Amino acid sequence: MTMAEKHTNNDLENKICTFLNDKEDGATALQIAKGVGLKKASDVNSVLYRLEKTGQLFRNSDQPPIWSRQKRSAATVKNSQPTDALAEELKKMMLSDGKSNGMKSYHLAAKLNVPRSEVNKCLHGLSRSGEVKRLGETSLWKVDETNGGGRLIKYKGEFQDCSIELKEDSRFFRDFELVSVLGAGGFGCVVKAKHKLDGKIYAVKILENTIKASREVKALAMLKHPNIVSYYTSWDEEAFWINEFNDDDSTTSSQYPTDSEQRDSCSSANGAENSGRDLSCLFIQMEFCEKGTLNDWIKKRNEGTKNKFKKALHMFRQIVSGVEYIHSEGHIHRDLKPENVFIGEDETVKIGDFGHVTITSSSPVSRTSETGTLIYMSPEQTEMVYDKKTDIFALGLICFEILWKMPTVSEKLKLFENLRRQIFPEDFKNKYATEHHIIRKMLSQTPAERPDVKEIAKYLEDFLLRNSTALEQKSA
């Protein structure tokens, strides 16, 4: 480290210590960063931990952690949870005096004649339980206007944190009991929910109410097929939304995260530090598939010893059947991949996630750039001029993936890169000569050279009828 860098670090350490000298209740990393003129928590994290090692700072076990100049005793930490009486007084005060614009903690402390440190502890506790919220990145606090607190749907994932606050009288919480959060992404989140009236389990997708979301609902409502996830209903309602990707410098992630790498559904999210926004959200109630995704099945197969060739081919036939129906109804899915294929309790395979669906055409036309997942995209899809044959390319990659074990992500990326150049593993060509032939055609660089989905369906029917003995041998 140069002398200039040391001087800069020392200066930042002094600024942080000076800032915290006036904060008897401590502050989060983001609050500290703002207080010393920086933008993000990651701008000060390394310095905070260095100061902790030298005994100049202390942090508690809250999420996010609270940093202070004094060490808090176990009793103090334990008592940092809001007492019922003070919590109710704070909420009443915010609902009366701060109903529109919110209130600052020191105003609340003065009005209630309570130490500011106790008010701050109580507010942070209420924030973690979802009863109050901070307005953006300000120091103003506010309660839901309806009845003193909204209800949170929280998710902490490997690559995505999500926190959605709904009003207590929202249709979702009126009709459903939240079971768990299945996953989150840039689109929003999907939850597993039990309907209070019929007692059945459903998947409910929650996303911003946009033209794209409306297009997904219309497609789901129109497409009715045994190999398509069933749609039941949809509605919109207001929500306060915090939804951001983790950008911790210490996190290294695959370019293509998978569902099973998500974790801790319904947990307290780090997003509590981040500003949110009021949004009109669309709720889509769909069929819940008990056995997860095709991606989950592939992972278990990769970890096992059995090949499961026969089952894989029967599953692929169902996927092809679903795509054949989608194309016959004048649509292109545009985001076919194992994560968007689901498996029901009776082993029926169903295609879902129609967020990228579009209308098909008799000839290639220019389309939008929001075209799906890069690793499964056809060559022409990235150029935004394509037709329904783009789905065939993705089907070719899926077919290869359910037949051939690829234990690691790096191995999968390398093999997929080769497949795009028509380079197949020699062992695969020897063991799956017939399958290799059809997959190679599906992965043709030129869309016109790819078979249409009806040809693929006929091939599968003929092959499965003719080769029952061969299927058993390949599955051994």
Side-chain angles (χ1 to χ4, degrees):
M1 183 181 294
T2 65
M3 292 298 294
E5 289 172 331
K6 286 182 179 180
H7 178 76
T8 302
N9 282 334
N10 289 337
D11 186 48
L12 182 55
E13 289 177 1
N14 291 333
K15 285 183 178 180
I16 290 173
C17 290
T18 300
F19 174 78
L20 288 175
N21 283 339
D22 298 326
K23 300 285 182 181
E24 62 180 68
D25 300 315
T28 65
L30 181 61
Q31 291 168 339
I32 294 169
K34 298 288 186 182
V36 297
L38 299 174
K39 294 182 178 180
K40 299 183 299 182
S42 57
D43 293 334
V44 296
N45 273 333
S46 61
V47 179
L48 292 173
Y49 284 103
R50 188 163 61 247
L51 288 169
E52 182 187 31
K53 285 183 179 180
T54 59
Q56 298 179 68
L57 289 187
F58 301 91
R59 63 185 165 102
N60 66 7
S61 58
D62 289 348
Q63 288 297 327
I66 303 297
W67 296 87
S68 61
R69 294 281 276 160
Q70 295 83 31
K71 188 172 183 179
R72 299 167 71 192
S73 66
T76 304
V77 174
K78 182 177 180 180
N79 293 331
S80 66
Q81 298 300 317
T83 63
D84 291 341
L86 179 57
E88 289 304 315
E89 288 299 319
L90 286 173
K91 288 190 287 185
K92 286 179 183 178
M93 186 67 67
M94 285 186 279
L95 282 169
S96 57
D97 293 6
K99 186 174 182 180
S100 300
N101 302 318
M103 295 184 71
K104 293 189 176 183
S105 61
Y106 66 84
H107 284 152
L108 290 164
K111 284 180 174 291
L112 295 174
N113 195 25
V114 175
R116 185 179 171 187
S117 60
E118 292 302 313
V119 170
N120 279 331
K121 292 172 188 176
C122 193
L123 287 172
H124 283 287
L126 290 170
S127 175
R128 287 190 290 273
S129 65
E131 298 177 74
V132 303
K133 63 184 178 184
R134 190 192 296 273
L135 298 182
E137 296 179 356
T138 69
S139 57
L140 294 168
W141 295 86
K142 187 178 181 182
V143 171
D144 184 275
E145 295 180 7
T146 56
N147 58 7
R151 296 183 64 182
L152 282 181
I153 296 175
K154 285 186 176 184
Y155 181 81
K156 183 177 177 60
E158 186 75 21
F159 303 96
Q160 178 79 39
D161 290 350
C162 185
S163 178
I164 303 170
E165 180 184 354
L166 306 178
K167 293 182 178 180
E168 189 71 32
D169 63 348
S170 74
R171 174 172 172 177
F172 176 80
F173 281 116
R174 186 176 68 243
D175 293 349
F176 295 92
E177 293 177 6
L178 179 64
V179 179
S180 64
V181 182
L182 301 173
F187 62 85
C189 72
V190 179
V191 303
K192 178 181 179 181
K194 182 178 180 180
H195 197 281
K196 293 180 179 178
L197 187 61
D198 64 32
K200 291 180 63 177
I201 297 294
Y202 297 91
V204 180
K205 188 172 185 178
I206 309 170
L207 63 169
E208 185 177 354
N209 195 352
T210 62
I211 293 174
K212 178 181 173 184
S214 177
R215 186 172 65 214
E216 179 175 2
V217 168
K218 289 175 181 177
L220 278 168
M222 188 187 82
L223 298 172
K224 299 183 184 302
H225 187 271
N227 300 120
I228 303 288
V229 169
S230 297
Y231 162 83
Y232 294 100
T233 189
S234 59
W235 69 93
D236 66 278
E237 58 181 90
E238 296 296 316
F240 185 75
W241 190 293
I242 297 172
N243 189 21
E244 75 156 27
F245 283 97
N246 292 325
D247 62 351
D248 190 336
D249 294 337
S250 64
T251 301
T252 57
S253 62
S254 164
Q255 186 180 359
Y256 310 106
T258 58
D259 291 347
S260 61
E261 290 171 317
Q262 307 285 4
R263 68 177 190 274
D264 297 333
S265 60
C266 294
S267 68
S268 175
N270 285 336
E273 274 196 35
N274 304 296
S275 60
R277 52 196 174 123
D278 290 306
L279 286 178
S280 171
C281 291
L282 190 63
F283 291 69
I284 308 174
Q285 181 185 346
M286 301 173 291
E287 172 185 13
F288 175 70
C289 295
E290 295 85 352
K291 294 197 173 180
T293 68
L294 179 61
N295 188 64
D296 298 329
W297 182 88
I298 289 171
K299 283 203 162 191
K300 290 178 183 176
R301 188 280 316 272
N302 287 344
E303 294 167 358
T305 56
K306 291 186 178 181
N307 192 29
K308 299 185 180 180
F309 172 80
K310 183 177 180 179
K311 185 174 182 179
L313 217 55
H314 278 289
M315 292 171 72
F316 186 67
R317 180 174 63 168
Q318 294 182 69
I319 299 170
V320 169
S321 178
V323 175
E324 183 179 7
Y325 172 75
I326 292 168
H327 287 183
S328 72
E329 293 296 313
H331 288 80
I332 311 172
H333 189 280
R334 297 200 298 178
D335 197 20
L336 292 171
K337 58 182 178 179
E339 290 90 336
N340 288 342
V341 177
F342 302 87
I343 305 172
E345 185 63 40
D346 60 355
E347 300 291 337
T348 302
V349 177
K350 298 171 180 286
I351 299 170
D353 201 331
F354 287 79
H356 293 281
V357 71
T358 189
I359 303 298
T360 189
S361 174
S362 57
S363 59
V365 295
S366 179
R367 304 184 185 275
T368 67
S369 59
E370 296 178 350
T371 51
T373 305
L374 184 61
I375 190 174
Y376 291 94
M377 281 185 188
S378 64
E380 71 274 12
Q381 200 170 352
T382 57
E383 297 171 4
M384 296 181 293
V385 178
Y386 52 89
D387 58 15
K388 61 186 180 182
K389 288 291 185 75
T390 193
D391 281 345
I392 305 301
F393 192 91
L395 283 176
L397 291 171
I398 293 171
C399 188
F400 178 88
E401 189 170 1
I402 65 176
L403 291 175
W404 197 247
K405 290 187 177 183
M406 295 177 284
T408 65
V409 173
S410 59
E411 184 178 348
K412 174 179 174 179
L413 295 178
K414 184 177 180 180
L415 278 170
F416 271 30
E417 185 179 341
N418 287 336
L419 293 176
R420 289 176 175 276
R421 302 199 302 268
Q422 297 283 302
I423 301 172
F424 287 74
E426 287 300 321
D427 289 347
F428 182 86
K429 291 192 291 185
N430 293 333
K431 185 170 185 178
Y432 301 111
T434 308
E435 295 78 12
H436 164 250
H437 173 72
I438 188 69
I439 294 174
R440 183 174 57 79
K441 290 181 67 177
M442 293 164 71
L443 297 179
S444 296
Q445 291 288 308
T446 306
E449 294 177 1
R450 297 173 202 153
D452 64 29
V453 74
K454 287 187 177 181
E455 293 177 64
I456 301 169
K458 187 176 186 309
Y459 156 79
L460 287 169
E461 288 297 328
D462 292 345
F463 181 82
L464 289 170
L465 285 172
R466 289 195 316 263
N467 297 277
S468 59
T469 304
L471 287 171
E472 295 297 339
Q473 291 174 344
K474 288 182 177 180
S475 292

